[in-house]
Amino acid sequence: MNKFSLSLFLLLTALPLLAQKRIVTDEKSSAGLAQSDAKNFTKKDKPRPTDNRGLMTSDYAGTRHLFGLWADGGYSGIMHNMETVSHRPGGYSAGLGVAYELQHNHFILQVGAGAVFQDVTYSCDGYRFTNADLAYNMWDRDTRWLPAGNGGQLIDTYGVPIDRLTYTATERKDVARTVYLQVPLLMGGTVGGFYGLAGAKVNIPLWGKTHMYQNITSEGLYNQYIGTHGEMDNHGYRYSVEISADGDRLPFRIDVLLSGEVGYEFRNGTQRYRIGAYVDYGLLNINPDGTAYPLYWTFENKWNFDRFELAHMFNSSLTEGKQLHNFFAGVKFTILFGTPEKDKCILCQQAKKSKR
């Protein structure tokens, strides 16, 4: 290639770059050029033939930086494989946080941070146990629970020896309230007005509180009397007494949630408004590995129901070797604001400056 050919080639290469800086055209030509490359525009953003601002650099910029807020709420529960604990009724959750979103064409990358409050209630099957269970199979195996004539000290409040003392526990309900720091990392895209996101959320427990309810009934059997004796406060036997207690927080472990979200997006200039549905499932076992007894009292307090000790089922020995996984599902609202952009006019009218 000789010098003339090389110079001609460089000149032809540079012309489009020089033209991109500023090309003076009339209004109709500007709008026509913009319309000719429709894939770079949404239906709403396409320049109209009467558009007098020309074609701006942001019309071709497929990348957006947005910041905003999100709020969600709905059903929440803890999935588990504990035999005596039901999956009902579960509870609810509510969250609030901030988000940063990178958009490139139809691709979305979203990160953020927020706080999620969870309130769940679970019930437990009823169960019965006797003084023989307390003496041999439960807790510290205190032989004082044996009948007075059989090496023990079991007597009623009148000092009469009891041959069999039975406790029945029913209507157990345990409440757990937890606040998590939630850090999401989501990716997805938009199709028309619809959007979808999927990824992971990290839940870090910050605060928690438990509360327990239990009904207790006690009955006594005397070999020298006929029948089982109950509802006799003077002898220590009481029927369906509700006891309750605040417990320690649940030391749940850090969790990683698999998350999915779909919904619809409304646009108003650089603002985005989204309403969608989400589902989050915990991939990690959050079992706190508790060792406390769900229901416990000492021999000295056998008639004092108000001194019975309660531990949350998820914080008790019932969780030994079990799997506990968080679950969330509900509705999420997001509002995003685009950052200000400085535009340069690519195709402008000769007589007017761009008003954008």
Side-chain angles (χ1 to χ4, degrees):
M1 180 181 295
N2 56 35
K3 292 183 179 180
F4 176 78
S5 300
L6 179 59
S7 300
L8 182 60
F9 173 79
L10 294 175
L11 178 61
L12 293 175
T13 304
L15 280 175
L17 298 177
L18 294 172
Q20 186 174 355
K21 184 176 181 182
R22 175 171 288 271
I23 297 178
V24 178
T25 69
D26 59 20
E27 176 183 322
K28 185 175 180 181
S29 299
S30 299
L33 286 168
Q35 293 280 8
S36 67
D37 197 3
K39 69 178 184 298
N40 291 299
F41 302 90
T42 65
K43 183 177 180 180
K44 180 178 178 180
D45 294 336
K46 286 182 180 180
R48 302 183 302 276
T50 59
D51 191 352
N52 63 2
R53 64 182 179 85
L55 184 62
M56 312 302 292
T57 54
S58 65
D59 292 333
Y60 280 111
T63 301
R64 295 284 187 272
H65 300 277
L66 302 104
F67 297 87
L69 302 171
W70 57 264
D72 63 30
Y75 173 81
S76 181
I78 298 176
M79 306 294 103
H80 60 83
N81 60 345
M82 299 170 64
E83 293 84 1
T84 61
V85 180
S86 76
H87 289 279
R88 301 183 306 272
Y92 69 92
S93 68
L96 182 68
V98 296
Y100 161 75
E101 186 167 293
L102 171 67
Q103 296 181 359
H104 183 72
N105 295 328
H106 295 288
F107 173 77
I108 297 174
L109 173 64
Q110 186 183 105
V111 297
V116 175
F117 173 77
Q118 180 188 49
D119 185 311
V120 292
T121 301
Y122 283 89
S123 58
C124 182
D125 295 343
Y127 52 97
R128 301 180 68 187
F129 44 92
T130 67
N131 58 294
D133 297 320
L134 297 168
Y136 295 119
N137 302 318
M138 299 177 67
W139 305 328
D140 51 7
R141 302 181 183 182
D142 190 342
T143 57
R144 290 181 296 174
W145 287 102
L146 296 176
N150 193 22
Q153 303 176 24
L154 187 61
I155 56 176
D156 65 16
T157 57
Y158 274 80
V160 181
I162 306 170
D163 292 286
R164 187 177 71 203
L165 175 61
T166 302
Y167 290 96
T168 303
T170 60
E171 300 181 31
R172 176 69 181 256
K173 283 185 171 49
D174 286 13
V175 181
R177 300 181 177 97
T178 307
V179 174
Y180 299 94
L181 169 65
Q182 187 172 93
V183 181
L185 175 60
L186 306 173
M187 293 182 290
T190 59
V191 177
F194 296 93
Y195 77 95
L197 293 168
K201 298 176 181 178
V202 178
N203 270 7
I204 303 172
L206 298 179
W207 173 90
K209 187 176 181 62
T210 59
H211 197 85
M212 291 72 63
Y213 302 87
Q214 179 80 77
N215 272 27
I216 301 291
T217 296
S218 60
E219 299 171 308
L221 176 67
Y222 302 82
N223 288 339
Q224 67 268 40
Y225 303 117
I226 297 175
T228 300
H229 297 264
E231 292 190 81
M232 300 170 63
D233 282 358
N234 57 331
H235 284 272
Y237 306 124
R238 304 170 68 185
Y239 176 77
S240 190
V241 177
E242 182 181 87
I243 60 175
S244 62
D246 290 321
D248 296 331
R249 60 166 294 195
L250 287 170
F252 283 146
R253 300 177 180 178
I254 294 177
D255 196 11
V256 176
L257 305 168
L258 181 65
S259 177
E261 178 184 342
V262 293
Y264 193 80
E265 178 180 281
F266 304 89
R267 295 187 179 186
N268 181 14
T270 60
Q271 297 178 12
R272 306 286 189 268
Y273 301 93
R274 292 179 183 157
I275 181 72
Y278 70 93
V279 175
D280 299 336
Y281 179 75
L283 299 177
L284 303 183
N285 184 8
I286 60 173
N287 188 343
D289 292 329
T291 58
Y293 296 109
L295 176 62
Y296 177 80
W297 65 96
T298 63
F299 179 80
E300 290 78 11
N301 291 323
K302 55 184 173 293
W303 310 123
N304 300 321
F305 288 8
D306 58 328
R307 297 190 181 181
F308 285 15
E309 298 178 14
L310 297 168
H312 195 283
M313 289 176 286
F314 291 155
N315 205 22
S316 73
S317 56
L318 294 176
T319 61
E320 182 179 0
K322 303 302 181 181
Q323 294 284 320
L324 278 69
H325 295 270
N326 255 322
F327 178 81
F328 301 86
V331 178
K332 182 176 180 181
F333 177 75
T334 306
I335 179 171
L336 297 167
F337 301 91
T339 56
E341 299 176 5
K342 293 183 179 180
D343 291 340
K344 293 182 179 180
C345 184
I346 300 175
L347 299 172
C348 304
Q349 296 182 53
Q350 184 173 10
K352 297 181 180 179
K353 295 182 178 179
S354 170
K355 297 181 180 180
R356 180 167 175 174

